Amino acid sequence: MNDSKGRGSSRNGALFLENLALEANWPGPLKKPAAKKFANEYVASRRVSELAGGFKRMSTLHNMSNWVEKERFGLPEYLLRTCPASLREGRRLKTKFRLGCHDLRSSSCRMQLVRNAQCPCCESRESETIQHTLFECTAFEEEREVFLSRLYSVRPLARQLNDEYRCRLVMGHKLPREIEKTLYRYFIAISKLRLGILTEQGEGS
Ligand SMILES: [Zn+2]
């Protein structure tokens, strides 16, 4: 029997904790409040690094890494606010876009459900990304105009943003609350229109 065994389970338990402390760069013996604070900080740092690692590893999280604050814990602000039942579908769509698990070809293609990621709603031959759908696709111009005119009246500076940054604004946390409902209405409208176009083409997804 080696040294770590045979001295009873409490010795093994202590060894386990010692190794854990070593791994976490524990600065030596600590009193309870200090130990608690240190443990919390360690857990928080591990969660952040795991999330950041996921951003690199998982392609569906690629967009999310541009839009979310990596240091945030708990629910993002837009999910904490009350949302009328009629607009919840729009809010759900925002979350799906943020998570990369939406119906657009740029996501479903990755999951090998369709042959290519080309936008089925217009003639541009562009990949059907979130940015293309929300800000570029000609199929949704009317709905987009309604949304953008409201956005510019609330945030005039948004006029100067390019589509990539406009996308970051609507997907991120700094979207003014006054524009939130208009955004959800926009998401719901284009999602319905898109489904209509696909149904006409005989696909329906
Ligand atoms: Zn398009």
Side-chain angles (χ1 to χ4, degrees):
M1 274 195 183
N2 68 34
D3 196 34
S4 68
K5 286 179 184 170
R7 292 195 188 180
S9 59
S10 65
R11 174 70 190 140
N12 282 342
L15 250 182
F16 175 75
L17 289 178
E18 272 171 30
N19 285 336
L20 208 60
L22 213 64
E23 199 187 312
N25 289 323
W26 202 272
L30 294 172
K31 289 233 161 74
K32 202 173 166 189
K36 210 169 168 185
K37 183 172 168 279
F38 194 84
N40 284 339
E41 281 170 6
Y42 178 67
V43 170
S45 76
R46 283 295 289 264
R47 284 171 68 182
V48 169
S49 68
E50 262 169 42
L51 185 63
F55 285 153
K56 278 192 212 126
R57 262 195 335 275
M58 292 180 253
S59 56
T60 50
L61 291 179
H62 172 76
N63 282 331
M64 202 174 168
S65 66
N66 288 330
W67 300 331
V68 305
E69 292 166 32
K70 297 181 189 69
E71 285 75 27
R72 179 188 55 79
F73 295 118
L75 287 172
E77 231 177 284
Y78 79 96
L79 287 177
L80 292 171
R81 288 185 201 131
T82 50
C83 177
S86 61
L87 294 179
R88 273 186 210 140
E89 178 56 24
R91 189 168 73 169
R92 243 191 309 275
L93 283 165
K94 173 164 174 165
T95 303
K96 287 173 111 183
F97 288 146
R98 281 163 55 89
L99 292 174
C101 58
H102 48 80
D103 291 335
L104 303 182
R105 296 268 158 104
S106 58
S107 171
S108 53
C109 179
R110 247 194 322 251
M111 296 171 197
Q112 298 177 339
L113 295 175
V114 289
R115 270 194 313 263
N116 66 58
Q118 203 170 301
C119 177
C121 304
C122 67
E123 306 291 321
S124 70
R125 294 172 172 262
E126 292 284 323
S127 168
E128 195 191 28
T129 58
I130 295 168
Q131 185 181 315
H132 172 78
T133 305
L134 295 188
F135 297 108
E136 294 157 5
C137 187
T138 50
F140 312 121
E141 266 169 355
E142 260 176 58
E143 291 68 24
R144 183 176 307 126
E145 220 163 277
V146 175
F147 168 67
L148 286 181
S149 69
R150 172 83 181 131
L151 176 66
Y152 297 153
S153 74
V154 176
R155 273 287 149 96
L157 285 175
R159 265 182 205 281
Q160 292 159 27
L161 297 176
N162 63 22
D163 289 340
E164 187 190 337
Y165 279 88
R166 227 168 262 153
C167 209
R168 280 191 198 190
L169 176 68
V170 300
M171 290 300 161
H173 296 260
K174 296 196 175 102
L175 187 72
R177 132 191 248 158
E178 308 93 280
I179 188 70
E180 211 161 57
K181 286 181 184 164
T182 318
L183 176 73
Y184 296 156
R185 261 181 231 116
Y186 178 45
F187 285 172
I188 293 169
I190 57 177
S191 154
K192 270 191 193 149
L193 272 177
R194 182 182 179 274
L195 196 62
I197 294 170
L198 290 177
T199 309
E200 241 171 60
Q201 292 171 359
E203 294 185 43
S205 72

